[in-house]
């Protein structure tokens, strides 16, 4: 057994060399067309995308507008084909050494205040061709991403998200066989900005050394970031950080102790959402040990710093939660895991307090708008629509009835839909 194990050529990050040729796709024209369609989806009438279509696709704004009114996709498909040909040519020139980059417009950085945490976020604005090449790189990486990403990573992955994380944690807490009693939430400091491009490229070169065109494209896209880290808001960068995070989750699940010949893992289950990691298990001492080991490993191997301010959660039993829920005031509160906008307890889930206070304030003001003006302004309607999911997926029936949440949500949704239709019609007529 040991001899067979030694014969396997395992890389530093766990990839098998005989499988590496299957973990990327060769460049084809169809892939380029798919990348353009994905990058341009629901953006065809934005000014910068229209300019790109005119420049590289050879289709004018008037043609696109006229075809949209007739529900004719031929002009768009013609533009997609031409842009895909331009992308193919740029990649071939890059691989052949005729150019040093992809000839893309510089990335601009802007700042925005997060409406939930009120933190000042640095976001990036990439040109349409940059977005198209980002989608192309992700398409080429899909075999590797399918092989490496874990089922319990929930950010920036189709079919996953906040609700998927909430439901998965609820399932873990409900399963008596897992015996989960404790959890700790870890936060990676400056996750995107501190994930070095060199580390990402090192991982990719080890996993897919034969993907020449893909490595060249990704290297050029990463080099366009203002700093040494990953762009915040980039499509490719979100997938690459998930790839890096997958190694941290695999590592933490490998920690175990051996007693009397039996191996017991320190962590029963783990998952990630954006820059947050959650470790769940039976004993707090084991979880604490795993968190310390992971912190040292992440800094040494990935150059990422996990904050020392851990958030510990000691879950109550189902009986204890039911008993406490009969109390009134603050006494009825139970310990819960605060992650991805929800607080997950053993038997129920609530909305994160800061989000609930902001949502309640918006619904109260919307009620005043209806009484005073007879309608909800569209700028407030967007906020009401964005908060609706938190009420739908938590135990919030009583407060929903108090706030008249469903009635106000329907009115806000109608306001958003009417405004969007008017805006789209105006843009098409102007084009």
């Amino acid at each position: 057994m040991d001899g067979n194990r030694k014969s396997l050529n395992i890389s530093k990050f766990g990839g098998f060399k005989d499988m590496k040729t299957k973990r990327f796709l060769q460049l084809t024209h169809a892939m380029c067309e798919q990348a353009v369609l994905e990058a341009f989806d629901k953006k065809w009438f934005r000014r910068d995308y229209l300019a790109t279509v005119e420049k590289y696709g050879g289709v004018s704004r008037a043609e696109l507008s006229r075809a949209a009114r007739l529900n004719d996709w031929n002009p768009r498909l013609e533009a997609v084909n031409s842009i895909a040909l331009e992308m193919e040519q740029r990649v071939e020139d890059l691989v052949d050494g005729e150019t040093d980059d992809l000839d893309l417009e510089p990335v601009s950085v802007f700042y925005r205040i997060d409406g939930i945490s009120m933190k000042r976020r640095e976001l990036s604005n990439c040109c349409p061709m940059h977005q198209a090449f980002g989608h192309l790189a992700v398409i080429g990486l899909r075999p590797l991403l399918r092989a490496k990403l874990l089922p319990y990573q929930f950010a920036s992955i189709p079919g996953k998200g906040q609700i998927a994380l909430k439901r998965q944690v609820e399932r873990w807490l409900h399963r008596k066989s897992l015996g989960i009693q404790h959890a700790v939430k870890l936060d990676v400091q400056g996750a995107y900005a501190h994930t070095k491009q060199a580390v990402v490229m090192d991982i990719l070169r080890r996993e897919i050394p034969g993907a020449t065109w893909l490595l060249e494209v990704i290297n050029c896209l990463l080099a366009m970031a203002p700093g040494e880290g990953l762009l915040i808001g980039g499509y490719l960068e979100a997938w690459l950080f998930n790839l890096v995070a997958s190694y941290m989750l695999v590592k933490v699940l490998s920690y175990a102790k051996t007693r009397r010949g039996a191996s017991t893992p320190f962590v029963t289950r783990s998952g990630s959402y954006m820059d947050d990691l959650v470790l769940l298990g039976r004993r707090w001492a084991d979880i604490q040990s795993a968190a310390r080991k992971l912190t040292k490993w992440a800094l040494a191997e990935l150059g990422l710093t996990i904050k020392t301010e851990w958030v510990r959660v000691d879950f109550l039993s189902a009986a204890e939660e039911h008993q406490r829920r009969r109390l009134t005031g603050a006494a009825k509160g139970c310990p819960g895991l605060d992650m991805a906008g929800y607080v997950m307890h053993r038997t129920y889930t609530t909305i994160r307090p800061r989000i609930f206070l902001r949502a309640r304030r918006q619904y109260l003001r919307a009620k005043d708008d209806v009484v005073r003006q007879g309608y909800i302004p569209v700028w407030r309607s967007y906020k009401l629509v964005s908060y609706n999911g938190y009420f739908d997926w938590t135990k919030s029936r009583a407060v929903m009835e108090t706030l008249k949440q469903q009635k106000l949500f329907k009115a806000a949704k109608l306001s958003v839909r009417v405004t969007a239709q008017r805006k789209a019609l105006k843009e098409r007529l102007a084009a």
Side-chain angles (χ1 to χ4, degrees):
M1 181 69 179
D2 292 338
N4 293 337
R5 186 174 298 172
K6 291 180 181 178
S7 66
L8 294 175
N9 197 337
I10 303 177
S11 70
K12 180 180 179 181
F13 290 99
F16 296 91
K17 286 190 175 180
D18 58 344
M19 298 175 63
K20 291 178 180 179
T21 57
K22 302 178 181 178
R23 290 190 171 176
F24 70 94
L25 299 178
Q26 294 292 349
L27 180 66
T28 63
H29 182 69
M31 283 174 55
C32 294
E33 289 185 323
Q34 183 182 352
V36 176
L37 286 171
E38 290 181 4
F40 281 58
D41 185 37
K42 298 180 181 179
K43 303 175 185 175
W44 280 94
F45 290 95
R46 282 174 44 171
R47 292 183 179 179
D48 50 348
Y49 283 80
L50 284 172
T52 302
V53 170
E54 286 186 329
K55 183 176 181 180
Y56 300 108
V59 180
S60 66
R61 305 186 184 196
E63 289 181 78
L64 281 178
S65 180
R66 184 165 53 253
R69 287 194 295 268
L70 299 175
N71 199 24
D72 180 11
W73 274 76
N74 288 325
R76 293 191 186 186
L77 295 178
E78 179 184 344
V80 167
N81 179 62
S82 299
I83 297 172
L85 289 173
E86 174 68 21
M87 293 173 63
E88 277 187 282
Q89 187 61 52
R90 292 191 188 186
V91 174
E92 291 176 4
D93 293 343
L94 181 66
V95 174
D96 293 340
E98 297 180 13
T99 59
D100 297 328
D101 54 35
L102 293 170
D103 191 23
L104 301 174
E105 297 177 12
V107 175
S108 60
V109 176
F110 64 98
Y111 297 90
R112 179 171 294 173
I113 301 298
D114 190 328
I116 302 300
S117 63
M118 300 307 294
K119 294 181 180 178
R120 189 169 179 257
R121 305 287 188 185
E122 179 185 286
L123 302 179
S124 304
N125 185 26
C126 305
C127 69
M129 288 297 286
H130 189 135
Q131 295 283 0
F133 276 108
H135 281 265
L136 178 63
V138 171
I139 293 172
L141 283 173
R142 276 176 185 168
L144 175 64
L145 296 173
R146 282 197 295 266
K148 286 295 183 180
L149 298 192
L150 303 184
Y152 306 135
Q153 293 182 257
F154 297 94
S156 305
I157 298 176
K160 300 295 184 71
Q162 295 171 280
I163 296 174
L165 170 64
K166 179 194 79 75
R167 297 180 69 179
Q168 185 60 68
V169 172
E170 289 173 345
R171 294 190 192 100
W172 288 338
L173 294 177
H174 291 165
R175 284 181 58 183
K176 293 183 179 180
S177 60
L178 294 179
I180 293 175
Q181 300 294 330
H182 309 277
V184 62
K185 188 177 75 169
L186 308 176
D187 187 4
V188 180
Q189 183 176 355
Y192 279 61
H194 292 170
T195 301
K196 302 300 182 183
Q197 300 165 17
V199 172
V200 175
M201 292 306 302
D202 182 50
I203 292 175
L204 293 178
R205 290 190 183 101
R206 290 176 183 275
E207 294 293 347
I208 48 174
T212 305
W213 78 268
L214 192 51
L215 293 174
E216 290 288 347
V217 169
I218 294 175
N219 190 46
C220 285
L221 293 176
L222 293 182
M224 296 191 67
E228 297 181 357
L230 301 178
L231 289 175
I232 300 177
Y235 180 73
L236 169 64
E237 286 75 9
W239 285 98
L240 292 178
F241 179 75
N242 274 326
L243 178 63
V244 174
S246 69
Y247 292 106
M248 289 192 284
L249 294 182
V250 170
K251 191 65 179 179
V252 78
L253 290 173
S254 69
Y255 296 136
K257 59 183 178 182
T258 303
R259 298 283 177 84
R260 298 179 182 143
S263 179
T264 304
F266 285 163
V267 174
T268 305
R269 291 291 186 272
S270 67
S272 70
Y273 183 82
M274 305 297 285
D275 56 353
D276 290 334
L277 305 175
V278 60
L279 314 181
L280 302 101
R282 297 171 179 268
R283 297 180 67 247
W284 169 246
D286 291 342
I287 297 176
Q288 192 177 30
S289 177
R292 287 173 177 166
K293 291 176 180 291
L294 179 64
T295 300
K296 293 180 181 178
W297 182 87
L299 182 60
E301 300 295 338
L302 302 176
L304 293 176
T305 301
I306 296 178
K307 295 180 181 179
T308 56
E309 296 83 7
W310 301 348
V311 180
R312 175 180 174 176
V313 182
D314 301 316
F315 295 103
L316 301 178
S317 66
E320 290 173 327
E321 283 196 357
H322 285 305
Q323 182 178 6
R324 189 174 289 192
R325 294 297 291 172
R326 297 192 184 98
L327 303 177
T328 58
K332 68 187 300 184
C334 302
L337 174 62
D338 187 340
M339 192 170 180
Y342 297 94
V343 182
M344 291 148 279
H345 309 266
R346 178 81 65 181
T347 58
Y348 67 99
T349 299
T350 57
I351 307 173
R352 177 179 289 170
R354 286 184 299 174
I355 295 178
F356 172 74
L357 290 176
R358 294 181 182 279
R360 177 180 178 274
R361 186 179 301 120
Q362 292 302 324
Y363 274 97
L364 290 175
R365 292 174 179 175
K367 190 185 298 184
D368 292 339
D369 289 333
V370 172
V371 172
R372 189 171 59 254
Q373 304 176 20
Y375 67 94
I376 303 175
V378 65
W379 60 270
R380 194 186 304 282
S381 297
Y382 282 116
K383 295 184 179 182
L384 266 59
V385 171
S386 66
Y387 284 125
N388 179 68
Y390 292 106
F391 291 96
D392 282 348
W393 293 97
T394 56
K395 188 175 181 180
S396 307
R397 185 180 303 172
V399 72
M400 288 172 65
E401 294 176 355
T402 302
L403 294 175
K404 308 295 182 185
Q405 189 267 336
Q406 279 300 304
K407 291 183 178 180
L408 292 172
F409 167 68
K410 291 178 180 178
K413 191 165 61 171
L414 177 62
S415 176
V416 170
R417 183 167 62 247
V418 171
T419 303
Q421 290 173 351
R422 290 175 178 173
K423 183 179 179 180
L425 180 60
K426 184 178 180 180
E427 289 179 349
R428 289 176 183 175
L429 292 176

